[in-house]
């Protein structure tokens, strides 16, 4: 494993209940895929959530990373600060999201950087938004967003479905 286990139990920290993680451990749980930073649309009648290939204004489509992670919430008012409590109410996290998986009691996928030791393993597995962002939110008119709906953020990558603890 790429990261050492808990000093007391020897177990990897990501196997602990989410509420027991330190702030640093919580942040490390994110694989950096950027899927949560894609603009989403909600059907008012059905409540169905649709992901688009349009990124938040702070999402760098070339790297798949936030251009101002520390200041994101002051610059993007609807940026969600993910917490254990917030996980209960958020239905749009992708199925590959480590926070979602751990909240559901599932293991991390085998391509997760905590398991591989390589932050690029997310891109190699086909999970990252890197190179897949069509535009930034500021570049697209709201009424044009349906033209950017994509299915891949709600799917597991074809090549790597296997998971390990």
């Amino acid at each position: 494993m790429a990261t050492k286990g808990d000093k007391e139990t020897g177990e990897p920290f990501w196997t602990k209940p989410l509420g027991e993680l330190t702030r640093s451990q919580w942040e490390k749980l994110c694989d950096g895929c950027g899927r949560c930073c894609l603009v989403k649309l909600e059907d008012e009648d059905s409540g169905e959530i649709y992901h688009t290939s349009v990124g938040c204004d702070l999402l760098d489509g070339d790297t798949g990373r936030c251009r101002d992670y520390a200041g994101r919430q002051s610059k993007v008012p609807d940026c969600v600060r993910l917490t254990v409590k917030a996980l209960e109410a958020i239905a749009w996290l992708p199925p590959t999201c480590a926070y979602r998986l751990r909240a559901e009691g599932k293991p991390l996928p085998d391509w997760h950087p905590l398991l591989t030791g390589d932050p690029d393993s997310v891109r190699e597995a086909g999970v990252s938004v890197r190179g897949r962002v069509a535009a930034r939110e500021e570049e697209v008119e709201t009424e044009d967003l349906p033209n950017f709906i994509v299915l891949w953020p709600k799917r597991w990558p074809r090549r790597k479905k296997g998971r390990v603890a």
Side-chain angles (χ1 to χ4, degrees):
M1 289 199 165
T3 304
K4 295 184 178 169
D6 183 274
K7 289 179 183 175
E8 293 177 22
T9 66
E11 293 294 317
F13 73 83
W14 56 87
T15 62
K16 296 194 293 188
L18 292 175
E20 294 179 15
L21 299 181
T22 66
R23 179 77 176 157
S24 174
Q25 291 170 336
W26 179 267
E27 291 294 326
K28 288 177 185 173
L29 195 55
C30 177
D31 65 16
C33 74
R35 289 180 177 203
C36 60
C37 300
L38 295 173
V39 174
K40 290 154 285 293
L41 301 173
E42 181 176 2
D43 184 304
E44 292 177 5
D45 296 327
S46 69
E48 179 80 22
I49 303 291
Y50 298 93
H51 287 74
T52 71
S53 59
V54 176
C56 158
D57 289 334
L58 292 179
L59 180 63
D60 183 325
D62 293 329
T63 65
R65 306 298 292 195
C66 183
R67 291 181 289 136
D68 186 8
Y69 186 76
R72 71 194 184 282
Q73 291 184 295
S74 63
K75 294 181 178 179
V76 180
D78 61 348
C79 181
V80 174
R81 181 171 181 264
L82 199 55
T83 63
V84 175
K85 181 93 172 131
L87 280 172
E88 298 170 12
I90 298 175
W92 48 258
L93 286 173
T96 56
C97 176
Y99 298 106
R100 178 178 175 176
L101 291 169
R102 294 303 305 130
E104 295 172 352
K106 297 176 182 173
L108 296 180
D110 61 0
W111 43 258
H112 195 286
L114 286 171
L115 301 177
T116 66
D118 180 6
D120 204 37
S121 60
V122 177
R123 183 198 55 78
E124 291 171 359
V127 180
S128 175
V129 300
R130 187 172 155 190
R132 299 172 96 174
V133 178
R136 289 203 326 250
E137 191 171 8
E138 67 185 11
E139 301 169 331
V140 178
E141 297 294 329
T142 302
E143 61 269 10
D144 292 332
L145 284 171
N147 298 328
F148 292 88
I149 291 174
V150 290
L151 299 176
W152 59 265
K154 288 180 138 180
R155 295 183 175 164
W156 280 88
R158 288 189 185 137
R159 298 181 322 191
K160 298 246 180 182
K161 289 187 182 180
R163 302 179 197 167
V164 295

